Amino acid sequence: MTKISRKLKIISYDSLKEATNSPAIRERYHIPLKLSIRVFNHNLFCLKGPIDQNRAQIENFSSEMYRFLLGSTQPETYLVIRHVERQRYFYILSKIISCIPLFKILKTYSEKAIISTLPENQMCYTINYRNFANILMAAMYMAENDMHFANIAYLHEGGLIKLDHGQSLFPILNRSQLKILTFDNRMVTFPSRSVSYFNLDVKCIDK
């Protein structure tokens, strides 16, 4: 079993620095516009937020749980707090790694089309689904409610990783739940949006 590489810790917003040449970084690493790019400990990170305190803490915990379940190839994630006068704002900081969202590969319908868009100094992608079963099992264990091909990425060195854990442990995040009776008369509770748990239809991606 892979050990968690570090303890959960909180980072001050003031310790983050603005990244230079952000547009080029955003294009190279496929960073969505809703995320800002920051530098921390000489590494590039995505900054998400501000978001609700409880959601931020749960997402930070969930991210490290995915690292525990899937290995250290999962991005490091930190909880960030910003103090403005008497207010506190919470953010999620995730390390940027060399990968491409899986839906970008699938949308091309051709491996050659992907390879032709890569910089010359990067390893060419070979499309396979190594680690995919592990990700699915981890997502079910973490009660994931945002599982689609925009949140699964292909590493440049090979293999798949899970991104964006903002809706992990969804039964805790959403009090609105649906209870069903199983064939052996046990009552099981699922989130009300459980029908969208593993939406692998590329057309449904709203990124």
Side-chain angles (χ1 to χ4, degrees):
M1 179 71 71
T2 304
K3 295 183 178 179
I4 297 179
S5 60
R6 60 174 178 79
K7 293 182 179 180
L8 298 175
K9 68 177 184 178
I10 299 173
I11 295 176
S12 170
Y13 185 90
D14 297 332
S15 65
L16 307 179
K17 298 180 180 179
E18 289 279 352
T20 58
N21 200 20
S22 291
I25 295 172
R26 191 179 300 278
E27 181 179 359
R28 178 179 180 182
Y29 293 103
H30 311 279
I31 308 299
L33 292 175
K34 65 180 181 180
L35 303 177
S36 58
I37 301 174
R38 295 290 188 271
V39 177
F40 176 69
N41 282 348
H42 307 290
N43 291 308
L44 292 172
F45 284 80
C46 293
L47 186 67
K48 175 183 178 180
I51 57 180
D52 175 75
Q53 177 180 353
N54 292 333
R55 285 181 172 272
Q57 292 174 327
I58 291 174
E59 182 170 353
N60 180 223
F61 171 78
S62 298
S63 299
E64 287 305 296
M65 280 300 299
Y66 273 108
R67 282 172 62 82
F68 178 77
L69 295 169
L70 299 175
S72 58
T73 55
Q74 289 290 130
E76 296 179 17
T77 305
Y78 300 89
L79 180 66
V80 177
I81 299 181
R82 181 182 186 183
H83 295 271
V84 180
E85 296 180 350
R86 296 185 178 181
Q87 298 292 325
R88 292 192 306 171
Y89 299 91
F90 294 83
Y91 301 78
I92 291 295
L93 190 71
S94 300
K95 188 175 182 180
I96 296 176
I97 57 178
S98 297
C99 63
I100 179 172
L102 199 56
F103 85 95
K104 288 182 177 291
I105 296 178
L106 299 177
K107 272 188 164 183
T108 64
Y109 300 104
S110 169
E111 186 174 339
K112 292 182 179 180
I114 288 291
I115 294 175
S116 66
T117 63
L118 291 175
E120 294 180 359
N121 62 341
Q122 292 184 3
M123 183 183 300
C124 292
Y125 293 100
T126 56
I127 298 177
N128 64 63
Y129 295 97
R130 191 182 72 178
N131 304 340
F132 188 61
N134 292 338
I135 290 176
L136 290 178
M137 292 301 296
M140 287 189 286
Y141 180 81
M142 294 298 296
E144 183 65 53
N145 192 53
D146 195 22
M147 186 69 173
H148 49 70
F149 282 150
N151 287 341
I152 302 174
Y154 196 95
L155 294 169
H156 282 194
E157 61 269 24
L160 301 172
I161 58 173
K162 167 73 171 61
L163 301 175
D164 190 358
H165 310 119
Q167 293 193 49
S168 301
L169 299 177
F170 193 70
I172 300 176
L173 293 175
N174 187 9
R175 295 182 179 180
S176 176
Q177 297 179 327
L178 172 67
K179 294 186 177 181
I180 64 172
L181 192 65
T182 64
F183 66 90
D184 55 354
N185 294 322
R186 291 185 301 110
M187 186 65 71
V188 179
T189 301
F190 292 94
S192 59
R193 292 178 58 196
S194 60
V195 66
S196 63
Y197 260 30
F198 298 103
N199 187 352
L200 302 182
D201 186 353
V202 177
K203 296 179 181 179
C204 295
I205 296 174
D206 57 356
K207 303 294 180 183

